Amino acid sequence: MKLLEGKTALITGVANDYSIAWGIAKALYAHGAELAFTYQNERLKEKMHGLVKQFNPRLVTELDVTKDEDVARVGQEVLQTYGQVDIFLHSMAFVPKEDLHGEFAKISRSGFALANDISAYSLINLTNALLPAFEAAGGGSIIYLTYIGGEYAISTYGMAGVTKAALEISGKYLAQSLGERKIRVNGISAGPIKTLAARGIKNFSGLQQKAQDFMPLKGEMTPDDVAGTAVFLGSDLSKSITGEIIHVDNGFHCVRG
Ligand code: 0WD
């Protein structure tokens, strides 16, 4: 039996077919989920429609999480199109370059606010917009992507780590407040994976190599390596797990050299 048969998943954060969200979308679909997609802006519209055609999605819609009207509209569109939602994948992040690469003490007020708005607050406001659709399903599973730089200071990750700490604790408070409605909220803390967002991080290859040297399980990680955990968290196999963060990082989190 397919683990996600009869479930509908909203996938955010596909920028291209290197995105972690893309690897997860493929796996959710293979396990029987029906998919809906968002893309960040008009510029990506045509490319996204071409990319996701293979999943026959009924909804492919624009979503800039800094716009309240986009967030509210997506919640309504999901409910109108599918009548419910069972899985929401949050796979988005942004930090202005100057606040990612500069000296940490020099992070700007506006950069701090924007980075947290896009990377962390979006989990809260999108969840809120999707509540009617989750309620129609009688519960569901929210899955977000995070990184160990939210737990420890990792050089070159800086402000992005601050947003991950905010995202992770937001996930736990959401888990607490939505538990009665059978909505679960869990994070996947992924190891370094070469994507568009990763390329924005200074010396990402160096960081990736350093992590790989320490990882108990060897080898470069890909989105497909993360996808199985998303299938598990989206499925009823994990029905008693919420407020959790699973490290899918070849074991990097458990070693200190
Ligand atoms: O090593 C990595 N790649 C890791 C990534 C390790 C651990 C965690 N993560 C996290 C990221 O922080 C992010 O939360 O995984 C998530 C997905 O990241 P990704 O797959 O590495 O990156 P990417 O393919 O670039 O997708 C992120 C997307 C954006 O792409 P851009 O073009 O900015 O690189 O986030 C989306 C956008 O599609 N995004 C937005 N979506 C809606 N509204 C917005 C926005 N304002 N800003 C960015």
Side-chain angles (χ1 to χ4, degrees):
M1 195 198 75
K2 288 186 171 177
L3 286 171
L4 304 176
E5 202 81 68
K7 292 193 192 290
T8 299
L10 176 68
I11 309 290
T12 68
V14 173
N16 54 40
D17 54 5
Y18 289 95
S19 297
I20 294 176
W22 179 253
I24 292 177
K26 284 190 297 180
L28 298 185
Y29 186 76
H31 284 273
E34 179 162 18
L35 306 182
F37 289 90
T38 67
Y39 53 89
Q40 191 188 341
N41 53 41
E42 180 70 26
R43 197 174 46 81
L44 288 172
K45 183 175 180 178
E46 214 171 300
K47 186 174 140 192
M48 268 299 286
H49 277 273
L51 203 57
V52 304
K53 213 167 55 196
Q54 60 181 283
F55 302 119
N56 298 312
R58 280 189 274 160
L59 182 68
V60 183
T61 193
E62 189 169 321
L63 168 68
D64 178 341
V65 293
T66 62
K67 296 180 180 160
D68 284 339
E69 61 277 18
D70 276 21
V71 172
R73 176 181 45 73
V74 168
Q76 287 159 9
E77 285 176 340
V78 168
L79 186 61
Q80 277 159 14
T81 310
Y82 300 92
Q84 66 178 71
V85 75
D86 303 277
I87 299 166
F88 159 37
L89 177 71
H90 179 288
S91 188
M92 298 169 283
F94 176 78
V95 179
K97 259 206 169 57
E98 55 281 17
D99 293 304
L100 189 60
H101 294 152
E103 192 183 337
F104 190 82
K106 294 194 167 39
I107 285 170
S108 66
R109 187 186 298 266
S110 62
F112 187 95
L114 181 63
N116 274 308
D117 187 1
I118 294 176
S119 313
Y121 180 65
S122 57
L123 181 72
I124 299 173
N125 66 351
L126 265 166
T127 294
N128 186 44
L130 290 167
L131 279 182
F134 272 121
E135 279 166 358
S141 172
I142 297 169
I143 304 164
Y144 63 86
L145 266 300
T146 185
Y147 181 59
I148 200 163
E151 297 170 63
Y152 308 104
I154 299 218
S155 59
T156 73
Y157 205 62
M159 184 57 216
V162 175
T163 71
K164 291 308 188 195
L167 181 69
E168 291 180 9
I169 194 65
S170 299
K172 291 177 187 178
Y173 278 106
L174 283 171
Q176 182 181 48
S177 78
L178 300 176
E180 267 186 13
R181 282 176 260 186
K182 293 193 167 59
I183 301 171
R184 303 184 289 110
V185 188
N186 295 294
I188 295 176
S189 186
I193 298 172
K194 267 190 204 109
T195 62
L196 199 61
R199 266 191 264 144
I201 293 168
K202 206 196 280 174
N203 190 26
F204 178 80
S205 296
L207 185 143
Q208 192 182 34
Q209 190 53 55
K210 214 159 119 189
Q212 277 171 220
D213 291 344
F214 286 112
M215 285 170 175
L217 302 172
K218 297 298 175 200
E220 184 173 342
M221 291 195 59
T222 69
D224 293 338
D225 298 326
V226 172
T229 303
V231 171
F232 166 69
L233 288 175
S235 80
D236 296 341
L237 288 180
S238 59
K239 69 180 170 45
S240 298
I241 300 179
T242 194
E244 186 59 276
I245 297 165
I246 302 181
H247 292 88
V248 185
D249 61 357
N250 280 349
F252 179 72
H253 69 283
C254 78
V255 294
R256 291 290 176 280

